Amino acid sequence: MEPLIIYGKSIYLRRLTEDDVTTDYVHWMNDPEINQYLESRYYTHTIDNTKSFIRSVTNDNNYQFGIFLKENDKHIGNIKIGNINNHHKSANIGFLIGEKNYWGKGIATEAVALVTDFAFDVLKLHKVWGGAYAPNIGSQKSFLKNGYEIEGCKKSHCYCNGEYVDSYFFGKINEK
């Protein structure tokens, strides 16, 4: 089967396989600074359980993509569109840039644009949505720059870095 690849300006998204699970990838998932806004921060990640996770989300209701630099094919993060609801034609997205030296460079914004277009143009979804903790300004900017709107805020909803923080929800409707 041909791999699913979505090309952007400086990155491309490729559906992850077990072969993409490297020590660098597992390091991202265990690094407290990188995973501070992820629910997966509560687990210890290994090569084996990360490969098992990739196997478990490789189906028609979840697309787990690696974010790769076009210039050198370096895997620098992940983005997913998951929990696809075929009745309501909706799904949620989540992402992380695992390589810290690529933070603040617009990579997440480009990845969100690519996966949103995939959701609307290929999967024919009506709506995509995602969330971000209040201190996660980078994720919020990535949503807003891609035309997502703040749909709600759950006050003091998540425990993060020793305090309770608000959680924002962003959504975008397919108007194509």
Side-chain angles (χ1 to χ4, degrees):
M1 180 183 345
E2 186 96 4
L4 175 56
I5 302 174
I6 304 167
Y7 293 97
K9 181 180 175 186
S10 63
I11 60 169
Y12 64 91
L13 309 180
R14 180 176 51 75
R15 203 159 187 189
L16 288 174
T17 69
E18 291 180 56
D19 292 339
D20 295 309
V21 179
T22 62
T23 54
D24 285 343
Y25 180 168
V26 172
H27 168 75
W28 304 339
M29 300 308 295
N30 290 313
D31 183 312
E33 186 179 12
I34 295 170
N35 72 19
Q36 66 184 314
Y37 304 125
L38 304 177
E39 294 305 306
S40 60
R41 71 184 179 272
Y42 299 112
Y43 305 98
T44 300
H45 301 272
T46 66
I47 294 279
D48 289 339
N49 68 20
T50 304
K51 285 183 177 186
S52 178
F53 169 76
I54 295 299
R55 280 193 303 274
S56 75
V57 296
T58 303
N59 57 56
D60 290 338
N61 286 322
N62 295 286
Y63 290 82
Q64 185 79 28
F65 293 101
I67 302 169
F68 296 86
L69 296 175
K70 284 174 74 174
E71 66 184 3
N72 60 10
D73 298 317
K74 181 176 179 61
H75 182 196
I76 62 165
N78 296 332
I79 189 165
K80 65 110 179 181
I81 182 159
N83 301 316
I84 297 170
N85 183 314
N86 288 310
H87 299 290
H88 299 294
K89 298 290 187 194
S90 64
N92 72 314
I93 68 171
F95 52 93
L96 91 130
I97 303 301
E99 294 292 331
K100 295 177 192 177
N101 54 333
Y102 290 96
W103 288 3
K105 301 203 182 300
I107 301 291
T109 299
E110 184 177 353
V112 169
L114 293 172
V115 84
T116 302
D117 287 345
F118 174 77
F120 290 163
D121 299 339
V122 177
L123 300 178
K124 305 298 185 198
L125 296 180
H126 172 69
K127 180 179 181 177
V128 290
W129 59 273
Y133 293 177
N136 189 351
I137 303 301
S139 288
Q140 292 176 50
K141 286 181 178 179
S142 293
F143 284 124
L144 293 171
K145 287 179 181 178
N146 278 291
Y148 284 70
E149 296 179 12
I150 298 175
E151 295 187 331
C153 173
K154 290 187 176 184
K155 295 290 185 186
S156 195
H157 188 70
C158 297
Y159 192 73
C160 178
N161 297 325
E163 65 180 343
Y164 286 95
V165 299
D166 295 348
S167 186
Y168 294 103
F169 294 89
F170 299 83
K172 185 171 184 176
I173 304 295
N174 185 353
E175 296 182 10
K176 296 180 180 181

